[in-house]
Every structure is written in C-alpha cells, then in structure tokens.
Amino acid sequence: MASRPGMCRQTVRSRMSRSPKLIIAVALATFAGSVALAGGPQEKIAAKTEAKTEAKTEANAPQRFNIGRAPTVEEIRGWDIDVRPDGQGLPAGKGTVAQGEKLFMDNCATCHGEFGEGAGRWPVLAGGKGSLTSDNPVKTVGSYWPYASTLFDYVRHAMPFGSPQSLKVDEYYALVAYVLYLNDIIADQNFELTDKNLATIKMPNESGFIMDDRATSEKAFWQKDPCMKNCIAPVKITGRATAVDVTPEDKDGKPRGVE
Amino acid sequence: MSKDKSLSSAPRASRRGFLTAAGGLAATALASQARAGAGNPANQPPNVPEWTRTLGEGVAVRPYGKPSKFEKDVIRRDVEWLTASRESSVSFTPLHELEGIITPNGLCFERHHGGVAEVDPADHRLMIHGLVERPLLLSLDELKRYPRVNRIHFMECAANSGMEWRGAQLNGCQFTHGMIHCVQYTGVSLRTLLEETGVKPSGKWLLVEGADSASMDRSLPIEKALDDCIIAYKMNGEALYPEQGYPMRLVVPGWQGNLWVKWLRRIEVGDQPWHTREETSKYTDLLPNGKARRFTWAMDPKSVITSPSPQAPIKHGKGFTIVSGLAWSGSGKVKRVDVSLDGGRNWWPARIDGPVLDKALTRFYYEFDWNGEPLLLQSRVQDETGYVQPSKAELRKVRGYNSIYHNNGIQTWHVQANGEVENVEVA
C-alpha cells in the first residue's frame, strides 16, 4: 500500500466520510443480490448481520479507489453459473436418463461415442472401472471423477465443444443423467436428475484424492549439499527418443527446428 | 515461408542488381552455394556485400517489426498426435533458439481449451462478487486506473515434459520442455482489488474464470490470491497477445499454468473450493496406489540444457563449447545449477548470468573444451529452499508412471561424436 499516492488517499478518505449512510445502503443492497443467488433464509439473516457489523468498522478498512461500479443482480446471475459439490449454484431444473439419451445422440455421440466410449482421440466418458492402478488407467466420469457437480458445471459451461451454453438447463440435467447412467452410477432409465437430488449422488472415486503431499512424501529431494563426485556408477543409455520416432519432422527427416 | 511482401521485396531487388553486375552463370553457382549453407563468397571479404552497395528499407516499412527472414525457423511448433483438436491443444516455445530469460511475446507457447477468444476490450468486463462487501464490475480502462506492478515470472504448463514420464519420447527441448515462457507482466495486484471489494472473513477461496468458450475455471486459495497474484494486461511492455488472454489474464507466480486464467472475466469469492473439471478430472496426479494428488499447484525446481540439444547440435567440432540452459523454481529463486557430462556421475558448477529473480527463468552457462567424445549432458538445479532437482528414476520411485503432470526430472542429452544430439534415458 506504500505505493499509493497520497493525493489519492485523501480523495478516498473524504469521499468515504461524506456519506456513511450511503455505504451501508450499498452494502445491504449488494448482499440482497448475492443472497438471492445463494437462496437460503439462514444465510440471508447471517449476511445482514455481517453486513451491519462490517459497515460499523468501515472507518478502519483499507483505503479505496472507488473505480468501477457494482454489478447488478441480473449481471451476476447471467455469468455466475458455477456449481459446487454441495449443490450451491445448481439452477432449478430436471431431466431424465431417457431424455438425456436422445440429446446425447444428437449433440455428443459424434465425438464421445454412443456409449461414452470416445470416438478417435476424443475423451472417453464411461468405463475404466478398477483401472487406476493398472499400467494404462482409463480415467472417466465413473472411474475417476469425485463429484457429480463437476460434470454438471463443466458440461453446462463448456459443452458441446464448439457451441457451449447452447442447450437449456433441463437438457443439461438430462445429459448429465445419461452420462451417469452410462457409468452405472444411475441404474434406472426413468431416473430424473434435479437440482434437489444432484448433490446427493455419490461418485465411486470420491475418496480417491489426497491433498498435495509433496512436502512430506518427497522430503528426500531437499538436500544440504548435493553430491558432486562419483555420485553414481557409470550409466548406460536405456531409452532413445529416436527409437520411438514420434517427433514432428521436417522434410529432411530431422526434428522440426534443426537448421 | 515468407508471405509478407514487405519482407521479401527489398532483398529480391538487390539480388537483381547483383545479377546484372556479375553475370548469370557465376551468380547461379554462387546462389546454389548459398542455398547449401556455405554462404555467398560474393558477400564475404574481400568483396563488398550487396547490402553495403544498396539502400535498405526506409523507416516504418514494417510498422510492427518482425525478426530477420533468416530466423524463420524460430517459431512455435505443435505435435499433432497429442490432442484431438487444435482448439484444445498446445504449442511449444522454441527454447533451443532463445537466450537470456525473457520470451518474445510471439513465441510464448500456447495452451487453449476452446481456441483463442478474440475479445473486444470495449465489451470485456471483470466481475468480482460472492463473499465480498462490495461486488465490483470493471472495464479494462478502469482496471488500468488501479496502481500498477511490474513482475517477471515464468509460466509453466503442469504437463510440461508430461510425455516423457514413460521414457524418452520427443527429440528436442522445444517439445520436451517448451510449455514454458517468461515475460514481464504489468497489471494490478489481485490483493489491491480484493481490498477494494472487501473480502468477508468467511471468504477462503476464489473461483477464477475466463471468457473463452471453455470458460476455464479454477479454485484459488485466498492466501495465494492475497500474496503475489496479478491481473495483467501487458506482457513485455505491450498489450497481452490474444493467445495469452487479451485483454487481461491472471498471473499466479510459481504455480501451474492452468491457474493463469486467460481472458479473465470473473472472480467469485467463496468459503470452499469448487472442484471444477480442471482440478478433478484434469490437473490431479495419479499415484501408483490408485489415489491421486489434488491441488498440486506449485511447479517444482527444474532445469534443462537448451543448447546443445537435439534441435541445436554442435556444428563446430571439438574445441571450446558453450552449454546454455534455463533453470527455474516455483518456490523462489534459483540458488545454483550443476552440469554433468557423464550422465550424473560427476557434476561441475554452472555459471549463472543475468538476473536471478523470484519464480522466474534463470540463465546458466557451462563452458568447456570438448574433446569430441560422446557426452551424456545433464543439468541439476537447487533452489533457495534447498530442493535439488531429482532424477527421473527418483521421481518415478515416488509417483510411478501415470501422474501426467509435474515431471521435473533431470533431462539427459546424448551428444554424439558427430555433434548430433539425442534425447535419451540413462541408468
């Protein structure tokens, strides 16, 4: 903060002291907006209380620049479509496995295959159960993904590839239901996935993840004095990239970029 | 290669001038020599070269400069079989041709998930909302009114060297290590904007999201957001290039490139991580026991010799030889670099030249008299935390072969007696 010019600081201070009532009003209006999105009545009360407390301590807050404006509730709603594992952010909607199957054939199967098996090099969505410790793990929604919310969040904001956010909310529920069905996570074709039940779906590999533990599991990589002389026995070449021969080549047969 | 008329017209004109002067037959012979790479004796001593005897281009013939046409091979390259589409794919920085620590903007590697968004800055908005006192909506011009910071940092894709987990595969440091660049960013400290909006005590995580067709979104812990992150709008002094997130991107020093959200349009403050696709399905590191590490944000200390390397063979034969390379650490500054000529049995300290900056590329050299015998060249970095870059075997002992990301193992180049260089594994 030392880099902020003094003039700016004064301007901000005078503007802040001018209308403390306005600041409280803005803070409350703002919270009304975000609470409307979060939805819970308990949260609403908590937020109001918190807003009042924060408004009182406003005088001790860091200086502000007052550049930019507050987004409206509608502006936030238009962009805020993310979903968390606990279901926060799920839009009202529903869709069945059967509805999803038809949508999948029309919008997804060209790349992902009719059963999520993947066409060509496009991503495989289903299968691979029990393969994570094998030489060639097949990491799919069913074998690897920890949360159903991620599937909804990703498909809704980024799929179909090339025309994202082109389907209706109910259609995305149906598609997610079908992909879960392809992975045997939903067994019933008539199952209807909704904003009420999506967060209750348990994924097979939810417990398959640990926090980054490099600081402990790779402690041996921190050394006081790295070895300089006769560190290991003489080595031999055990693998060659030229034997694999998959590097893009120029016309002369050399790797691209060799002059 | 050169489709740009302004580049080729002047030299062509002067070559015509030469033809008239020297006569057809001799010129043809000389021209074919030039094509063979021996150069053109007519332009060498004692002769006065053609560019001395003719006027060159005037000013502003190239309103935006380009490298010499003789540097046409210094370009980004891709590996077609790596991905299913060019829109969700990667290209590689030509590290073997570069020196110093700053990557030219046009050569910075690309990684897109939905192609390059062509964003009109007049319409672009940055929204900050969620668990904040005062949600904020900013235009680019408004963002530029906040106090600025300038920082030089490397940006490395988590998958850099990922194709090499199972063994030597791609022949060239551009392909094995080129998902990295290092530029000077100018922008606004993320902390400044978070103070402006007033993060509530319950705000522990940020969701950062791009405006491209992938809406790339990631969860970022508040501690990092308040530490050294930047919302950048300039790189190396000029506006971000579209493929690097024009008009604004997130800079997350030392952390995996995927978090550096391009075309940044939204920051939501929440009380827990979102577990988006890019931090569950992707950017999680599978271990031999079937469990996967999540939130492996920091890029470990790493180094590579950029020359000699498979794309930059030794052409001068035996004698004084310069080994040039790059070292970096996502945890701080490079402390030292060692070079081995015998596959890691013996090491010699390298010479670091140029600035040594926090979470930035660092240039090192090792100069020696090459006797013409084959070499197994390696480099090994130690950073200021004491971490010493491990061998690939040491890494695999802990992580197995299927973690895809975070391969910072020591690279070996086999220099052959004829000066050609190959990517190899040794044991």
Side-chain angles (χ1 to χ4, degrees):
Chain A
M1 289 308 100
S3 62
R4 284 186 191 176
M7 253 177 69
C8 181
R9 196 172 292 157
Q10 279 172 6
T11 315
V12 170
R13 202 170 279 157
S14 62
R15 205 177 291 166
M16 275 170 60
S17 57
R18 203 168 53 210
S19 57
K21 274 180 193 168
L22 181 71
I23 289 167
I24 295 169
V26 167
L28 283 173
T30 307
F31 278 107
S34 54
V35 166
L37 288 169
Q42 279 178 332
E43 269 184 75
K44 198 176 281 183
I45 294 160
K48 271 187 181 169
T49 315
E50 211 174 325
K52 276 179 190 164
T53 316
E54 290 295 320
K56 271 181 204 161
T57 57
E58 189 80 36
N60 300 323
Q63 281 87 26
R64 288 173 54 200
F65 298 93
N66 293 302
I67 301 166
R69 67 166 172 88
T72 66
V73 173
E74 289 70 30
E75 285 171 332
I76 295 174
R77 191 176 287 147
W79 279 9
D80 177 12
I81 62 168
D82 55 68
V83 178
R84 291 194 326 199
D86 62 1
Q88 180 182 296
L90 280 169
K94 56 183 173 15
T96 66
V97 172
Q99 289 164 340
E101 180 175 12
K102 183 171 184 335
L103 287 161
F104 193 89
M105 296 311 149
D106 294 345
N107 296 285
C108 318
T110 315
C111 295
H112 294 296
E114 289 186 13
F115 303 99
E117 75 278 16
R121 286 172 300 176
W122 294 101
V124 179
L125 303 184
K129 203 181 281 182
S131 71
L132 297 185
T133 54
S134 74
D135 281 348
N136 288 299
V138 181
K139 298 192 285 183
T140 71
V141 170
S143 70
Y144 193 64
W145 290 37
Y147 305 111
S149 61
T150 308
L151 183 59
F152 186 90
D153 179 69
Y154 179 67
V155 172
R156 187 191 177 199
H157 77 227
M159 289 289 125
F161 190 67
S163 54
Q165 302 188 32
S166 58
L167 303 177
K168 296 186 183 81
V169 165
D170 283 354
E171 293 175 319
Y172 283 115
Y173 274 107
L175 279 172
V176 169
Y178 182 65
V179 174
L180 294 173
Y181 176 80
L182 287 177
N183 280 288
D184 302 320
I185 294 162
I186 290 174
D188 179 6
Q189 273 211 10
N190 298 314
F191 184 87
E192 188 173 66
L193 191 66
T194 73
D195 52 306
K196 302 289 184 299
N197 64 20
L198 190 143
T200 66
I201 288 168
K202 281 278 164 222
M203 301 288 273
N205 196 43
E206 182 177 339
S207 61
F209 295 82
I210 58 167
M211 254 319 270
D212 180 4
D213 66 344
R214 283 176 289 177
T216 51
S217 64
E218 296 179 2
K219 214 170 184 172
F221 297 160
W222 279 266
Q223 299 171 40
K224 200 157 175 251
D225 296 302
C227 174
M228 298 298 282
K229 293 289 161 227
N230 298 315
C231 303
I232 48 171
V235 294
K236 285 194 174 123
I237 292 172
T238 55
R240 297 172 180 270
T242 48
V244 184
D245 196 22
V246 290
T247 310
E249 289 178 347
D250 283 337
K251 279 173 194 158
D252 61 3
K254 297 205 166 133
R256 280 186 194 165
V258 178
E259 285 177 36
Chain B
M1 171 68 205
S2 176
K3 286 176 186 163
D4 188 336
K5 279 183 185 159
S6 68
L7 260 177
S8 53
S9 60
R12 202 179 292 146
S14 56
R15 199 170 298 138
R16 251 198 317 274
F18 173 76
L19 277 170
T20 321
L25 270 176
T28 311
L30 291 173
S32 64
Q33 254 183 316
R35 273 198 297 276
N40 183 352
N43 283 327
Q44 295 170 15
N47 299 316
V48 178
E50 54 186 307
W51 43 86
T52 310
R53 291 180 282 110
T54 54
L55 282 174
E57 280 176 358
V59 296
V61 169
R62 312 179 201 195
Y64 193 102
K66 284 183 182 177
S68 160
K69 64 174 178 171
F70 301 107
E71 299 296 319
K72 66 179 171 54
D73 290 329
V74 185
I75 50 171
R76 296 188 283 228
R77 293 180 173 82
D78 69 334
V79 177
E80 283 129 26
W81 53 264
L82 273 180
T83 53
S85 88
R86 294 184 84 87
E87 291 77 23
S88 181
S89 193
V90 64
S91 68
F92 301 88
T93 305
L95 295 180
H96 61 294
E97 294 277 10
L98 303 179
E99 272 296 328
I101 65 168
I102 298 293
T103 316
N105 287 341
L107 295 176
C108 289
F109 85 98
E110 309 155 276
R111 173 62 169 121
H112 320 306
H113 295 74
V116 179
E118 286 283 355
V119 176
D120 185 338
D123 296 331
H124 187 76
R125 294 293 180 273
L126 174 64
M127 182 186 285
I128 306 178
H129 69 107
L131 297 175
V132 296
E133 302 297 346
R134 302 168 292 272
L136 194 59
L137 192 70
L138 291 175
S139 67
L140 177 63
D141 287 344
E142 286 164 339
L143 184 71
K144 286 178 174 174
R145 291 178 57 205
Y146 282 88
R148 295 169 193 178
V149 296
N150 293 292
R151 300 275 188 278
I152 296 173
H153 290 299
F154 77 82
M155 196 278 259
E156 183 184 19
C157 178
N160 199 21
S161 316
M163 296 84 79
E164 304 289 308
W165 269 111
R166 281 168 176 269
Q169 185 160 227
L170 288 161
N171 211 27
C173 72
Q174 177 169 24
F175 303 109
T176 57
H177 291 75
M179 285 192 239
I180 192 167
H181 52 66
C182 183
V183 304
Q184 184 179 53
Y185 295 99
T186 304
V188 180
S189 163
L190 179 52
R191 186 189 185 99
T192 301
L193 289 186
L194 291 176
E195 284 175 353
E196 180 79 1
T197 52
V199 175
K200 298 213 265 181
S202 54
K204 299 295 179 203
W205 289 82
L206 270 57
L207 183 80
V208 288
E209 182 185 86
D212 59 322
S213 77
S215 304
M216 169 65 61
D217 56 354
R218 287 291 306 259
S219 304
L220 183 73
I222 190 79
E223 293 79 11
K224 182 66 173 175
L226 292 173
D227 180 18
D228 57 0
C229 294
I230 303 164
I231 298 172
Y233 44 82
K234 300 271 190 191
M235 57 193 285
N236 290 335
E238 61 180 339
L240 294 182
Y241 279 21
E243 62 269 34
Q244 302 300 338
Y246 180 84
M248 57 182 78
R249 87 171 309 164
L250 192 63
V251 170
V252 191
W255 286 20
Q256 56 181 221
N258 186 259
L259 281 153
W260 298 46
V261 170
K262 299 187 283 190
W263 313 288
L264 181 72
R265 73 161 187 176
R266 192 169 70 93
I267 297 173
E268 180 176 356
V269 180
D271 60 357
Q272 48 184 280
W274 276 259
H275 297 283
T276 69
R277 185 249 196 181
E278 301 288 321
E279 57 204 23
T280 54
S281 169
K282 308 295 175 190
Y283 304 96
T284 50
D285 314 346
L286 190 58
L287 298 169
N289 65 1
K291 299 272 183 191
R293 289 175 182 157
R294 61 161 56 119
F295 299 138
T296 46
W297 297 304
M299 298 308 290
D300 288 317
K302 188 168 172 179
S303 68
V304 66
I305 291 168
T306 54
S307 174
S309 65
Q311 295 159 287
I314 300 176
K315 291 176 181 168
H316 54 62
K318 57 177 92 167
F320 189 72
T321 300
I322 293 176
V323 170
S324 178
L326 290 166
W328 61 95
S329 166
S331 309
K333 290 180 183 168
V334 166
K335 189 162 110 188
R336 65 181 290 167
V337 182
D338 300 312
V339 167
S340 174
L341 306 177
D342 56 7
R345 183 167 161 79
N346 296 290
W347 297 90
W348 288 267
R351 180 172 67 84
I352 288 172
D353 192 77
V356 179
L357 302 170
D358 183 48
K359 305 179 185 80
L361 291 186
T362 301
R363 177 63 62 174
F364 69 85
Y365 296 103
Y366 179 75
E367 292 109 345
F368 74 112
D369 266 307
W370 184 40
N371 62 11
E373 285 172 16
L375 308 169
L376 291 171
L377 272 184
Q378 295 185 342
S379 64
R380 180 184 71 184
V381 64
Q382 182 179 36
D383 77 354
E384 62 183 349
T385 72
Y387 182 108
V388 178
Q389 184 182 4
S391 69
K392 289 181 180 172
E394 287 170 324
L395 270 184
R396 289 171 184 142
K397 208 181 286 175
V398 186
R399 305 190 197 166
Y401 291 80
N402 289 314
S403 57
I404 299 179
Y405 308 103
H406 292 285
N407 182 355
N408 67 319
I410 289 171
Q411 173 66 47
T412 309
W413 302 131
H414 176 219
V415 180
Q416 299 162 46
N418 64 4
E420 287 188 12
V421 183
E422 189 186 2
N423 173 14
V424 297
E425 293 249 349
V426 293

